[in-house]
């Protein structure tokens, strides 16, 4: 007698889920008729721009919608049992036990007044009834399971005493203590360094395999989706518009929105001369502005017809296992797509020859911070002073009209270098010249004309915009301060700058609170370029933006650079963005530039071992690409007591290539080895050996 195979039911089954919020404008529908399943040992990626409803779906599953949110329709079945309608007591027993969530900001999930051990042990005491001693032991084991170095001592520390990556590992360990059936992760690696992100993504893969956990991974990073997800659900404006296996989605995206997202992402091996980024025109509509009886994406779609504007498409299976909410999903050829006139894309650019005039000249630059000593001798002015060596002997020459990208992990000195150049920090030693003038003094002592020629775009526009002043007033301020134009022309110049950053005149009277994150960043760019500077420092200007807004901002910066011939120093942790945007790249580690050269040279062998590790960690938006797995052990050493010799030797995975396991690395600073006239590597390993290394990334 033949036995029929019955597949296990899904851990989570969401059907026609609709969620709304009560507002002063009435009932607003945030999520509409969303359906998906999550099985054991499977990761489902929820993808889309901000405001698409991804996190709202997660909060709906957990019943964290707040007093004004409610589920108006649909079903949420967990392990075959309906969650909707269950009491708060029943849900509380499930949350933190069988269903857990990892948030984007770990500090918001950790109690700053309790040690890590107390917070972890509490989970097991409450949900499993274990003794405190047994809960402490298991918590320590789980920290070790998530690769936390020195787990027993970490248990005794407070959250503020851990790095961001360590905090995130604590939150993941907390979520896994009870071996949950379902783990929801909401942008858990967005704020992490690329190396820490890679370790966390590896951890997710291990946990899925070892614990057989079902995972919902919420993100806007398509590279992360390609690395960790099995299935992908693409959300737009509260609706599910496409659902498919990850390889099918990347190989043949069916919905115009998914295709648009793919065109926004810079590919790691492609330069700004060889490719373009095409942002999706328009923006995600607010919940109260969404059309009811039409395709919700029609206002931004290049294929929209009258039918799309008058009839709502349903999610339908186009090929086995691959569904899309589009009338024409089976007919659209993405390769034949042409950008509409509304999408402004910069014209092709050319590399600037290295013999062009040097705008910024840095030689042996050092920026040290004196560290207060805890020694008793320090009370009497005795004892040895200690210094944090944030920037320690940097040499850099920046030619006019190009972009120099600066990459490296947190704590490597990137932002300190930028702050020293801009004048927010004073250098301890070295040469710092801008346009031939010495600028090795605080910004308060610099000539007004030099300040006018040297501006900065910051990572977080909220921290640099005054909420009490309008957009127009804030852009007008540098125009008035530096007398860029006559007083009677200030208003017209502000309007011109707004148009230059793709904002219309109506934004002049708006306040920062009335802008989206991408719009605030555009205002920050307009303000930085208002004085028509020679050099602009960009410190992570696109790291917190959606892929479509990121593409628009990068295009904007390229366009302005080509229009005005502006020189840029571009700091970022996303190596794909740096590769696309930069002409020259400086790789920093612990206050030193360990590799420098043209962008195309940095991303092909020979690599510095640190550069190689960074490239192996970056998520690639291509599930078919192969990538060498090189993971660095431990964190960046303290700049208060950096390693002797080569500062990277304590974490270098390539020391075995040298005699005696690279003992020379620990005692002697590495030489500058020139691969070409523009490309050097700071390493003891001979260039001949570095050239023989295989490429980190191989496309399929």
């Amino acid at each position: 007698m033949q036995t029929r195979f019955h597949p296990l039911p899904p851990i989570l089954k969401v059907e026609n889920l609709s969620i709304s919020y009560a507002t002063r404008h009435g009932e607003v529908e945030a999520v509409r008729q969303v359906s998906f399943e999550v099985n054991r040992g499977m990761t489902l990626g929820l993808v889309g721009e901000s405001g698409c409803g991804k996190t709202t779906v997660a909060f709906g599953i957990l019943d964290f919608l707040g007093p004004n949110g409610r589920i108006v329709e649909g079903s949420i079945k967990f392990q075959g049992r309906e969650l909707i309608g269950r009491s708060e007591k029943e849900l509380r027993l499930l949350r933190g036990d069988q269903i857990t969530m990892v948030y984007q900001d770990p500090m918001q999930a950790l109690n700053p007044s309790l040690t890590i051990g107390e917070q972890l042990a509490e989970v097991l005491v409450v949900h499993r009834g274990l003794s405190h001693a047994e809960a402490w032991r298991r918590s320590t084991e789980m920290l070790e399971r998530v690769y936390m170095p020195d787990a027993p001592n970490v248990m005794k520390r407070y959250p503020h005493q851990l790095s961001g990556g360590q905090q995130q590992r604590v939150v993941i360990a907390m979520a896994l203590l009870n071996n949950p059936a379902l783990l929801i992760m909401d942008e858990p690696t967005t704020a992490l360094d690329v190396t820490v992100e890679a370790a966390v993504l590896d951890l997710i893969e291990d946990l899925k395999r070892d614990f057989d956990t079902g995972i919902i991974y919420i993100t806007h990073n398509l590279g992360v989706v390609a690395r960790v997800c099995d299935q992908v659900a693409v959300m737009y404006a509260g609706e599910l518009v496409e659902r498919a296996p990850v390889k099918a989605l990347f190989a043949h995206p069916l919905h115009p929105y998914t295709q648009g997202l793919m065109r926004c992402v810079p590919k790691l091996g492609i330069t700004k001369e060889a490719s373009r980024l095409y942002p999706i025109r328009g923006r995600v509509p607010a919940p109260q502005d969404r059309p009811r009886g039409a395709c919700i994406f029609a206002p931004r779609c290049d294929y929209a017809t009258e039918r799309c504007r008058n009839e709502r498409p349903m999610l339908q299976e186009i090929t086995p296992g691959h569904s899309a909410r589009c009338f024409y999903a089976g007919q659209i050829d993405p390769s034949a797509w042409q950008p509409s006139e509304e999408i402004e894309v910069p014209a092709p650019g050319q590399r600037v020859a290295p013999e062009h005039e040097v705008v910024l000249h840095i030689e042996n630059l050092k920026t040290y911070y004196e560290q207060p000593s805890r020694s008793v001798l320090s009370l009497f002015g005795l004892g040895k002073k200690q210094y944090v060596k944030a920037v320690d002997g940097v040499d850099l020459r920046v030619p006019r009209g190009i972009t120099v990208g600066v990459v490296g992990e947190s704590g490597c000195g990137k932002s300190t270098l930028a702050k020293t150049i801009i004048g927010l920090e004073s250098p301890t030693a070295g040469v710092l010249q801008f346009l031939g003038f010495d600028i090795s003094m605080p910004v308060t002592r610099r000539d007004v004309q030099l300040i006018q020629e040297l501006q900065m775009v910051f990572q977080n526009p909220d921290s640099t915009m005054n909420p009490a002043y309008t957009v127009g007033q804030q852009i007008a301020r540098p125009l008035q301060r530096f007398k860029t134009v006559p007083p009677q022309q200030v208003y017209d110049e502000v309007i011109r700058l707004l148009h230059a950053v793709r904002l219309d005149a109506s934004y002049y009277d708006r306040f920062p609170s009335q802008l989206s994150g991408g719009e605030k960043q555009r205002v920050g760019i307009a303000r930085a370029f208002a004085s028509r500077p020679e050099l602009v420092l960009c410190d992570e200007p696109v790291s917190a933006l959606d892929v479509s807004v990121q593409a628009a901002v990068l295009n904007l910066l390229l366009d302005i650079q080509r229009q005005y011939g502006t020189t840029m120093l571009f700091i970022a942790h996303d190596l794909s963005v740096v590769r696309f945007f930069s002409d020259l790249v400086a790789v920093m580690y612990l206050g030193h530039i360990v590799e420098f050269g043209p962008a195309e040279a940095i991303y092909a062998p020979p690599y510095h071992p640190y550069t190689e590790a960074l490239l192996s960690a970056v998520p690639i938006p291509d599930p078919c690409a192969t990538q060498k797995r090189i993971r660095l052990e431990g964190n960046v050493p303290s700049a208060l007591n950096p390693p002797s010799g080569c500062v990277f030797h304590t974490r270098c995975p390539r020391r075995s290539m040298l005699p005696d396991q690279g003992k020379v690395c620990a005692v002697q600073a590495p030489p500058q080895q020139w691969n070409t006239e523009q490309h050097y590597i700071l390493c003891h390993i001979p260039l001949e050996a570095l050239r023989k290394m295989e490429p980190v990334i191989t496309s399929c």
Side-chain angles (χ1 to χ4, degrees):
M1 181 178 176
Q2 185 177 5
T3 303
R4 296 186 62 185
F5 171 71
H6 294 280
L8 292 173
I11 292 172
L12 182 74
K13 186 172 184 178
V14 176
E15 292 184 291
N16 295 321
L17 179 66
S18 296
I19 298 172
S20 67
Y21 288 90
T23 70
R24 60 182 179 178
H25 302 293
E27 194 92 351
V28 173
E29 198 170 41
V31 170
R32 181 162 55 166
Q33 295 180 330
V34 167
S35 301
F36 59 82
E37 294 181 358
V38 180
N39 296 310
R40 277 202 172 275
M42 163 189 161
T43 300
L44 172 74
L46 272 184
V47 184
E49 297 169 277
S50 298
C52 283
K54 308 184 298 296
T55 301
T56 302
V57 169
F59 284 172
I61 296 169
L62 294 166
D63 195 27
F64 282 163
L65 295 173
N68 65 327
R70 68 185 185 96
I71 296 172
V72 296
E73 181 187 1
S75 168
I76 304 174
K77 289 183 179 177
F78 175 68
Q79 294 182 329
R81 295 185 62 192
E82 182 64 56
L83 291 183
I84 299 174
R86 294 175 74 167
S87 68
E88 179 62 28
K89 182 179 179 181
E90 289 179 293
L91 291 172
R92 194 182 300 116
L93 290 174
L94 280 175
R95 292 194 296 254
D97 184 16
Q98 290 300 299
I99 304 175
T100 56
M101 187 163 181
V102 176
Y103 298 90
Q104 178 175 350
D105 184 0
M107 276 303 286
Q108 291 190 3
L110 295 172
N111 190 328
S113 63
L114 296 177
T115 65
I116 298 301
E118 290 171 322
Q119 297 184 62
L120 289 172
E122 182 184 29
V123 175
L124 291 170
V125 171
V126 171
H127 289 287
R128 290 288 182 265
L130 300 182
S131 67
H132 187 271
E134 178 63 13
W136 191 277
R137 185 187 65 79
R138 289 200 190 180
S139 298
T140 306
E141 289 178 352
M142 183 56 74
L143 281 183
E144 292 171 344
R145 182 66 189 80
V146 297
Y147 310 121
M148 178 69 77
D150 197 16
N153 282 325
V154 168
M155 290 282 285
K156 303 172 187 176
R157 295 175 189 165
Y158 289 89
H160 72 272
Q161 295 174 305
L162 305 182
S163 68
Q166 289 174 327
Q167 290 169 3
Q168 196 61 282
R169 292 183 196 200
V170 168
V171 174
I172 292 173
M174 187 182 297
L176 291 165
L177 274 172
N178 290 320
N179 191 12
L182 178 65
L183 176 62
I184 302 173
M185 311 190 83
D186 188 5
E187 299 273 12
T189 61
T190 297
L192 302 180
D193 283 322
V194 65
T195 51
V196 179
E197 178 183 56
V200 171
L201 296 181
D202 290 343
L203 173 62
I204 292 169
E205 285 293 288
D206 292 345
L207 298 173
K208 180 172 65 174
R209 181 189 65 243
D210 298 345
F211 290 85
D212 204 25
T213 303
I215 299 174
I216 297 177
Y217 196 103
I218 299 170
T219 184
H220 66 265
N221 189 325
L222 294 175
V224 171
V225 169
R227 177 175 288 186
V228 302
C229 295
D230 305 296
Q231 297 278 329
V232 185
V234 181
M235 289 193 68
Y236 178 76
E239 292 186 349
L240 207 62
V241 297
E242 188 164 359
R243 189 175 58 211
V246 64
K247 288 188 177 180
L249 186 90
F250 279 86
H252 304 289
L254 295 177
H255 196 280
Y257 178 60
T258 311
Q259 296 168 9
L261 290 177
M262 301 286 187
R263 288 189 287 265
C264 292
V265 182
K267 306 299 187 291
L268 189 63
I270 299 179
T271 67
K272 59 186 177 184
E273 286 78 25
S275 70
R276 300 288 171 272
L277 299 182
Y278 297 99
I280 304 171
R281 57 191 172 92
R283 56 189 293 184
V284 179
Q288 65 270 19
D289 298 329
R290 295 170 185 171
R292 295 290 302 175
C295 173
I296 208 159
F297 187 61
R300 303 175 73 189
C301 182
D302 296 317
Y303 304 99
T305 64
E306 200 62 29
R307 182 186 182 188
C308 304
R309 288 182 276 271
N310 294 304
E311 185 180 342
R312 180 174 176 244
M314 303 305 292
L315 192 68
Q316 55 183 331
E317 191 171 66
I318 309 301
T319 60
H322 196 159
S323 304
R325 191 185 295 275
C326 178
F327 294 122
Y328 310 107
Q331 306 168 28
I332 296 171
D333 179 9
S335 63
W337 177 85
Q338 292 294 323
S340 69
E341 294 180 357
E342 294 180 46
I343 300 177
E344 299 187 44
V345 181
Q350 298 295 327
R351 296 281 188 202
V352 177
E355 64 267 21
H356 275 222
E357 177 190 352
V358 172
V359 170
L360 182 68
H361 175 67
I362 299 173
E363 189 175 333
N364 198 29
L365 183 69
K366 299 180 180 181
T367 303
Y368 294 174
Y369 302 105
E370 186 174 346
Q371 183 79 358
S373 176
R374 297 180 181 179
S375 168
V376 176
L377 293 175
S378 65
L379 298 175
F380 305 97
L382 303 174
K384 186 178 179 181
K385 291 184 178 180
Q386 291 184 306
Y387 295 92
V388 175
K389 300 177 180 180
V391 175
D392 194 14
V394 163
D395 297 323
L396 188 64
R397 294 165 64 87
V398 182
R400 184 187 299 274
I402 71 160
T403 300
V404 175
V406 183
V407 298
E409 297 168 281
S410 296
C412 285
K414 308 184 302 296
S415 293
T416 301
L417 176 63
K419 289 177 182 177
T420 305
I421 295 169
I422 203 73
L424 298 178
E425 301 289 353
S426 298
T428 305
V431 175
L432 182 58
Q433 292 182 345
F434 173 60
L435 297 175
F437 294 93
D438 178 27
I439 56 170
S440 58
M441 73 282 291
V443 67
T444 52
R445 291 171 48 199
R446 292 183 182 179
D447 184 86
V448 172
Q449 192 171 358
L450 282 177
I451 297 174
Q452 176 182 351
E453 297 290 351
L454 184 56
Q455 294 291 312
M456 189 163 182
V457 179
F458 295 89
Q459 177 177 358
N460 184 4
D462 281 318
S463 63
T464 58
M465 295 182 70
N466 192 323
Y469 288 86
T470 66
V471 165
Q473 290 172 317
Q474 299 195 51
I475 297 176
R477 174 62 180 157
L479 295 173
Q480 297 161 343
R481 177 73 176 84
F482 300 122
K483 298 180 174 60
T484 310
V485 295
Q488 64 272 20
Q489 296 179 19
V490 168
Y491 176 81
D492 291 338
E493 181 65 10
V494 171
I495 300 302
R496 189 191 69 79
L497 285 164
L498 285 172
H499 287 155
V501 296
R502 317 292 185 257
L503 298 175
D504 59 48
S506 67
Y507 283 82
Y508 187 97
D509 294 316
R510 297 189 190 182
F511 289 90
S513 61
Q514 297 173 295
L515 308 183
S516 68
E519 288 170 339
K520 290 175 187 174
Q521 195 60 286
R522 292 181 189 214
V523 172
I525 292 170
R527 185 174 57 184
F529 282 87
S531 64
R532 300 174 190 172
E534 184 67 49
L535 175 63
V536 174
L537 309 182
C538 301
D539 188 4
E540 299 274 13
V542 297
S543 62
L545 303 180
D546 285 322
V547 288
S548 182
V549 180
Q550 173 183 282
V553 170
L554 289 175
N555 283 345
L556 174 62
L557 288 170
L558 284 174
D559 197 34
I560 292 175
Q561 182 181 43
R562 288 162 186 166
Q563 184 178 351
Y564 296 105
T566 309
T567 308
M568 293 189 195
L569 200 68
F570 188 87
I571 296 171
H573 69 268
D574 189 329
L575 275 74
S576 300
V577 170
V578 171
R579 172 73 171 99
F580 169 81
F581 191 73
S582 304
D583 302 289
L584 299 171
V585 176
V587 181
M588 283 196 73
Y589 184 79
L590 209 59
H592 298 259
I593 292 178
V594 297
E595 184 169 4
F596 180 80
E600 58 271 14
I602 297 292
Y603 289 77
Y607 310 110
H608 187 281
Y610 180 57
T611 308
E612 183 186 31
L614 291 179
L615 289 171
S616 82
V618 63
I620 304 171
D622 181 0
C624 294
T626 57
Q627 193 172 14
K628 282 202 295 187
R629 190 180 185 280
I630 302 169
R631 298 293 180 261
L632 299 179
E633 297 294 329
N635 300 310
V636 179
S638 170
L640 182 64
N641 186 25
S644 59
C646 173
V647 290
F648 185 58
H649 83 265
T650 57
R651 302 173 75 200
C652 182
R654 293 287 183 182
R655 288 180 65 186
S656 59
M657 296 175 65
L658 289 166
D660 297 324
Q661 296 296 307
K663 287 184 179 179
V664 64
C665 302
V667 295
Q668 186 177 327
Q672 239 181 31
Q673 300 188 77
W674 290 86
N675 182 43
T676 66
E677 291 183 357
Q678 291 180 270
H679 178 207
Y680 72 78
I681 296 173
L682 218 64
C683 188
H684 286 292
I685 301 172
L687 273 177
E688 292 72 21
L690 293 175
R691 290 190 182 109
K692 293 177 182 178
M693 293 192 305
E694 295 180 355
V696 171
I697 300 160
T698 307
S699 299
C700 53

